[in-house]
Amino acid sequence: MRQRWIACIIGTLFLFTSASAQAVDTEDEQIFPWTKIPANTSAVQFYTPSSMNYNPFIHAEFKKLCTSVDDPHCADMKWVQYSTYLGPCTTASDTDCIENFSAKLPDGNIASSTLDVLQPQVPAPGFAADPARTLPAAHMPVVYDIAQAAHSTGNKYMVGVFISGRTDENGKGGKSSFGAFNRGILNFNVYAVSEEKDSKYQGSITQESEGYGVTGGGTGEQEGCALAEKGICWRTRTLPSDISYSVTVRLRVAPPGWLFGRTVDPQISVENVSGVGEKWSISAKAIKTAYIWGYASNDKLPPGHDAWLAAQPIRTIPVWDDKNPAILYRVHSPLGGPGGGDGSKETFDAFNHWIPIIGDKASANPSMWSFRTIQPQELNNIGPCFQSSNKLLGVVTTNSMLSMAGPPTFDKNSGSLDYQVASPHLMRTGDLFLGTYDLVMRSETARCLYNFSNAPVEASISVTNAEGTSVNATKIVNEKDGWLHLGAYGFTFSSPKIAVKLSQAPVIAPTPAPTSVKQVPQNAPAKKTMTSITCVKGKTKKIVTGAKPKCPVGYKVS
C-alpha cells in the first residue's frame, strides 16, 4: 500500500508548485507561505501563524475600548472583556503572574533565568489591576536570559502567558456595575528570540473604529517576529530540542478542563496556595511541527476537485486576481470543534484530498513550545468524566500538524481512548517526520471513565495507519503523584490513529479465616417415669407397664 501511495505522489509532483526553494540551513521559524499565487490556480495552506503580536486591552462587546471596567465610555454596555499577558511576580503574595522560568539542561542540571534589561512596553491605553474583579494589570510578554541555555543566536527567551476574561451580562444595559471576570483563554508560549532594532518595525495597534468596533493588527514589518514593537523585532529562533523548559505561574482564577500543547514529555503540577489561588508548573521539551502549502494549475487538477472545493465554502476564498482568481483553501489551526472546525473530520478529509495534489513533504518544520486551554466548542462531545468546572483534568500534546480537538474520544465498544493525527510523511529536508504524542491526565479521571478502583492502572498504546496496520513507536506509561502519563514517540505519518487502552487487575476479596463456633449443648428431653402394676382376674395374672398403667377390663390390681 505504501508503494502505491508513493507512486501516486510522484505522479502529482508535476502538478505541484511550492512557494519557493529554501536553503536547508534556513531556520524553519523564518519560512512562511507565499504572499501571492498565480491566477488560474488552486492553492492550500495548512499553516498556523505563531506570534504574540497582540496588545493588552479591555473592550465592551467588541464595540468600545475601555481604560478600566468603570470607564464611563463603556457604562452603557452589557459586558466587558479583557486580554493581556502575565508579568513577573515581584512579591510572595502576587497573583496572576509568572513566578519562575527555568531550563533543565541535557546533563540534568537546572539553569535559572534573569530578567533581560530590555522589556516590551505596554502600548497605550493599558489598564490597572482590579483584584476585586479578578482583573490583572495590562502587561506584555516577558524576556528572560538563561546564560547556560544557549540557542542558535544567543540566550534570550520570550515567555508569553496570555489570559483573557469576560464579565457576565449585567442585564441592565450599564445601569448596574460589572461584576467579576470569568477566566477564559489561557495560553503559554516560550520562544527563543534575538533582538533586532530597525525603524521599519512599528508594532501592533488596537483602536476603536466608527462602524467597525474594536479592531487590531500589525503595522509595518512583523513577519518572523515573536513580537514586534516600535523600532524592535524580537525575532523567532529555533528552540533546542534537548532542553526542557519550565514555566510556573500563579493564577487567581484557574481555567478548568484540558490543555492542548506543542511539546513532548510534559510534566504537570497543580498546587492550591492560600491567599493566591493555584500555582501551575509546566515543564516540557520543544517539538518540531509541520506546515505544508502549495498550489497547482486549475487545468491539471484531478477530476472531482472543483466539486469538492465548491462544497468547502467556509475555507475557500478567491485571492489576488478578479478576472482569473486563484482559489485558496486555508486551514490555520491544528484544532477545532465538530462540524467543520479545524481538527474536525472535515479537516482530515481535506488533508487526504490535498496530499496527492501537493505532495507529502512539509514546507516548514518550526520548533514550538506552547500550551493553551481547549475551549468548550472544541470538545468532541466528551462525557462527564472529561468535564470539570473547577480544575485542570489533563493535557494532550503532539507535534502533528493536524490533530483532534479536545481529549481522546472514548470508544465504548473497544474500551479505548482514540486520537487522530495527520501530517506530511517527510520533513522539509526530506527526512522522515517522526510523530510524538503525550496524554497526561488525572488518575481519578481515568478511574471515573473505566469505573476503576484506587488500585494501580495498567495501559497499552497502539499506533495504526489508515489501512489499520500497526506502526512502530516507542511507548511509555507511568502513574505518579495522582497523574497518569502515556506517550508514543517515533511513529510515522501520514494519518495514523493512536489508541490507548487502560486496564486494572480485578480486586479479589481475601477469603475470611475460619471462625470457631462454640457449641452450646442442648438439654436432653426429660425421660418419662415408667411404672409396672400386676393385674389379676381369677387365677390369671398380667403385668402392665406404662407412665400411667391401668388394668384391662375385668382385671384388678393385685
Side-chain angles (χ1 to χ4, degrees):
M1 180 64 189
R2 185 68 193 166
Q3 290 178 337
R4 292 198 299 271
W5 180 249
I6 293 174
C8 177
I9 294 171
I10 293 174
T12 63
L13 292 181
F14 297 102
L15 306 180
F16 162 63
T17 305
S18 63
S20 61
Q22 297 287 346
V24 173
D25 59 354
T26 301
E27 285 188 298
D28 287 72
E29 294 73 20
Q30 298 302 311
I31 299 175
F32 316 102
W34 11 251
T35 56
K36 189 172 184 179
I37 60 175
N40 297 314
T41 60
S42 289
V44 65
Q45 290 180 6
F46 290 90
Y47 174 64
T48 306
S50 178
S51 73
M52 293 182 285
N53 288 302
Y54 304 98
N55 293 338
F57 66 97
I58 299 175
H59 70 82
E61 300 181 41
F62 297 103
K63 299 176 181 177
K64 296 183 178 182
L65 276 177
C66 319
T67 57
S68 71
V69 183
D70 297 317
D71 187 344
H73 178 58
C74 301
D76 61 338
M77 310 303 285
K78 291 186 177 182
W79 55 266
V80 294
Q81 180 172 318
Y82 77 87
S83 300
T84 188
Y85 297 90
L86 298 184
C89 302
T90 57
T91 70
S93 60
D94 283 353
T95 189
D96 284 333
C97 57
I98 302 173
E99 179 179 286
N100 182 61
F101 173 60
S102 61
K104 185 176 181 180
L105 305 176
D107 61 8
N109 289 323
I110 304 298
S112 59
S113 66
T114 58
L115 288 172
D116 191 72
V117 294
L118 183 63
Q119 293 292 330
Q121 300 301 301
V122 178
F127 52 87
D130 188 342
R133 291 189 172 104
T134 65
L135 173 68
H139 207 281
M140 294 296 283
V142 184
V143 180
Y144 293 92
D145 295 333
I146 304 183
Q148 298 171 274
H151 52 77
S152 60
T153 59
N155 56 13
K156 296 182 187 294
Y157 293 89
M158 180 171 284
V159 178
V161 181
F162 178 85
I163 60 173
S164 69
R166 175 181 153 169
T167 64
D168 292 329
E169 291 193 11
N170 61 31
K172 298 182 180 180
K175 295 182 180 179
S176 63
S177 62
F178 298 108
F181 286 91
N182 302 309
R183 185 57 48 88
I185 296 172
L186 175 63
N187 292 356
F188 296 77
N189 287 278
V190 173
Y191 293 85
V193 295
S194 61
E195 172 194 335
E196 293 182 10
K197 294 184 178 180
D198 195 302
S199 59
K200 68 181 179 181
Y201 302 119
Q202 296 297 312
S204 298
I205 59 170
T206 304
Q207 60 189 358
E208 184 180 312
S209 304
E210 184 69 27
Y212 294 95
V214 176
T215 60
T219 59
E221 181 69 39
Q222 291 197 80
E223 192 170 61
C225 305
L227 174 67
E229 51 184 334
K230 189 173 181 62
I232 300 176
C233 165
W234 295 97
R235 187 161 297 281
T236 307
R237 300 301 184 184
T238 301
L239 285 162
S241 60
D242 58 353
I243 295 177
S244 179
Y245 299 96
S246 178
V247 178
T248 300
V249 297
R250 303 176 196 163
L251 301 171
R252 188 188 308 273
V253 179
W258 288 79
L259 295 177
F260 170 76
R262 293 300 207 181
T263 64
V264 67
D265 192 21
Q267 307 294 321
I268 311 296
S269 172
V270 178
E271 175 186 354
N272 290 316
V273 181
S274 177
V276 171
E278 286 189 353
K279 180 190 292 189
W280 286 18
S281 294
I282 302 180
S283 302
K285 292 181 178 179
I287 53 90
K288 278 188 173 292
T289 189
Y291 297 137
I292 189 169
W293 52 81
Y295 57 87
S297 173
N298 288 338
D299 60 1
K300 295 182 180 179
L301 291 169
H305 175 80
D306 289 345
W308 180 88
L309 200 64
Q312 316 294 320
I314 191 171
R315 301 188 193 280
T316 305
I317 53 176
V319 289
W320 301 308
D321 191 316
D322 293 335
K323 293 182 179 179
N324 299 296
I327 300 297
L328 173 64
Y329 182 91
R330 179 181 293 158
V331 177
H332 61 269
S333 171
L335 287 182
D342 297 338
S344 66
K345 179 181 182 299
E346 288 79 3
T347 306
F348 286 98
D349 290 344
F351 173 82
N352 292 326
H353 174 84
W354 280 101
I355 285 296
I357 299 174
I358 65 173
D360 209 2
K361 182 179 178 181
S363 303
N365 296 103
S367 61
M368 295 187 74
W369 192 107
S370 68
F371 292 88
R372 73 170 179 84
T373 48
I374 298 175
Q375 299 304 297
Q377 65 271 18
E378 296 175 312
L379 299 175
N380 293 308
N381 301 316
I382 59 175
C385 294
F386 277 174
Q387 295 177 336
S388 175
S389 60
N390 58 9
K391 62 184 176 183
L392 178 67
L393 292 182
V395 180
V396 178
T397 73
T398 180
N399 69 340
S400 177
M401 182 179 74
L402 297 177
S403 57
M404 284 173 45
T409 301
F410 182 54
D411 186 330
K412 292 183 179 180
N413 294 326
S414 65
S416 64
L417 294 166
D418 297 337
Y419 199 77
Q420 186 74 51
V421 293
S423 287
H425 187 67
L426 301 176
M427 299 181 71
R428 176 178 68 92
T429 58
D431 298 323
L432 281 176
F433 183 46
L434 300 179
T436 69
Y437 170 79
D438 288 279
L439 170 62
V440 181
M441 62 180 171
R442 291 183 185 268
S443 300
E444 64 190 61
T445 302
R447 289 181 167 83
C448 168
L449 192 66
Y450 287 88
N451 197 26
F452 283 164
S453 70
N454 288 329
V457 173
E458 299 175 352
S460 63
I461 305 174
S462 64
V463 183
T464 54
N465 61 22
E467 290 76 37
T469 305
S470 178
V471 177
N472 290 331
T474 301
K475 303 153 188 175
I476 66 163
V477 177
N478 63 64
E479 186 177 10
K480 182 181 179 181
D481 298 330
W483 293 89
L484 183 66
H485 182 192
L486 307 104
Y489 315 113
F491 54 88
T492 55
F493 292 98
S494 294
S495 54
K497 182 177 77 172
I498 303 165
V500 173
K501 281 193 175 183
L502 303 181
S503 61
Q504 188 176 67
V507 178
I508 302 175
T511 303
T515 303
S516 59
V517 180
K518 186 177 180 180
Q519 299 293 329
V520 179
Q522 297 180 351
N523 293 329
K527 292 184 178 180
K528 296 181 180 180
T529 303
M530 306 300 286
T531 304
S532 296
I533 60 175
T534 301
C535 301
V536 179
K537 182 180 178 182
K539 295 181 179 180
T540 304
K541 293 182 179 180
K542 287 185 177 182
I543 297 174
V544 179
T545 302
K548 295 179 180 182
K550 292 182 180 181
C551 290
V553 177
Y555 285 77
K556 294 180 180 179
V557 177
S558 168

